[in-house]
Amino acid sequence: MELQQLPKDKVIMQHNMITSGRYDFTACQLDILFLLLASLEKDDDKEKKYNLYAKDIESITGREWHYNQLQQATEDMGSRMFTIETERSLKQIWLFSGFEYMKGKGYFTASVSPEARPYLFELKNNFTIFQLKSVLSCSSKYAKRLYTLACQWRAVGKITIEIAKLKEMLYLKDPKNKVPEQFTEVNAFRKNVLEISKQQINTHTDITFDYELHKKGRSFHSITIYVNYNRVNTKEVDIQTSLTYQKAVSTVEAYGISKAYAELIAQKYMPEFEALIEQIKKQKNKSQIEDPAAY
């Protein structure tokens, strides 16, 4: 049996160059990106295509994805680029080389472009950790971006950055001024970006988010973002462990079985466990089994 659903507490490790890069994705496109990141494995073949299931998003967030919405999102992603700037260069990359929708199967495949692979796989020393459920539960694309940025800064607890720089990262301001800036009034930026993000991050994620705007002269010039990471709600996930194994553990735990036994079953007895579950489902009088976990 192929396990489709990702564990809700799956931890994503995302390269900081991508986290802080400048790009413009919709909320749906960001969900596709994060779902791909959660599906990556360390030893993946460079030609591997990733199966992304709409049901995974629905099970984690309760939001329904329609295929026409997904197809429009992936079509637009083909022309969206990431701008990654360092002291030595400015690089423009496209993450995906193609998508394919499998009719009647409930999933589509994503192919990663060769140029993007180093930023997705070489994550040994430079990465951001955040939770899939948290980032998918935020509906605002700005909340999703600010959540991943806040996770990058949570080790120090706060970060002060120029408002113009933050708006460039969120694709609200073109550094070359070829495209009109969005939310030029600070009240509009606060209302439509910062306050919405603050409400969604503090409601749906494992961190608390707050901010303070600072003036330089008469105008607001910079922003301090405060991050208070709540470790109580976070489960550590070993990036070396395969996603298939993590899915199996999550599936077994869903039946009320302790983590220790779930790990043992997932490692050695998963076929027998699946057969037992099918046997239970076929029983006519299910009331005979009062405690499925003990059974």
Side-chain angles (χ1 to χ4, degrees), residues 194-231:
L194 298 176
E195 285 300 316
I196 289 177
S197 298
K198 177 180 176 179
Q199 188 274 328
Q200 291 191 7
I201 291 172
N202 290 342
T203 300
H204 299 299
T205 79
D206 56 320
I207 65 172
T208 57
F209 173 95
D210 207 350
Y211 67 91
E212 183 180 4
L213 299 173
H214 308 289
K215 283 187 175 182
K216 187 175 182 179
R218 295 185 177 182
S219 302
F220 287 100
H221 176 263
S222 61
I223 178 173
T224 298
I225 293 178
Y226 299 95
V227 186
N228 180 20
Y229 180 50
N230 181 7
R231 296 184 180 273

Side-chain angles (χ1 to χ4, degrees), residues 90-121:
L90 186 148
K91 181 179 291 187
Q92 297 173 333
I93 64 172
W94 288 259
L95 295 186
F96 301 100
S97 59
F99 296 93
E100 183 177 6
Y101 286 82
M102 313 309 293
K103 295 182 179 179
K105 302 294 185 179
Y107 72 92
F108 60 99
T109 65
S111 301
V112 177
S113 68
E115 185 73 14
R117 294 187 74 84
Y119 295 99
L120 297 176
F121 287 91

Side-chain angles (χ1 to χ4, degrees), residues 163-175:
I163 294 174
K165 183 67 175 178
L166 179 61
K167 293 180 77 171
E168 287 177 9
M169 294 165 67
L170 297 176
Y171 231 81
L172 296 172
K173 178 179 171 64
D174 180 4

Side-chain angles (χ1 to χ4, degrees), residues 226-272:
Y226 299 95
V227 186
N228 180 20
Y229 180 50
N230 181 7
R231 296 184 180 273
V232 174
N233 295 325
T234 302
K235 182 184 290 186
E236 294 182 358
V237 178
D238 185 357
I239 195 171
Q240 306 300 329
T241 303
S242 73
L243 184 57
T244 300
Y245 171 74
Q246 295 179 56
K247 290 177 182 178
V249 172
S250 180
T251 299
V252 177
E253 284 186 299
Y255 287 91
I257 296 172
S258 69
K259 180 180 179 180
Y261 280 111
E263 290 176 345
L264 177 62
I265 292 171
Q267 185 176 9
K268 295 184 177 181
Y269 306 108
M270 200 61 192
E272 292 86 345

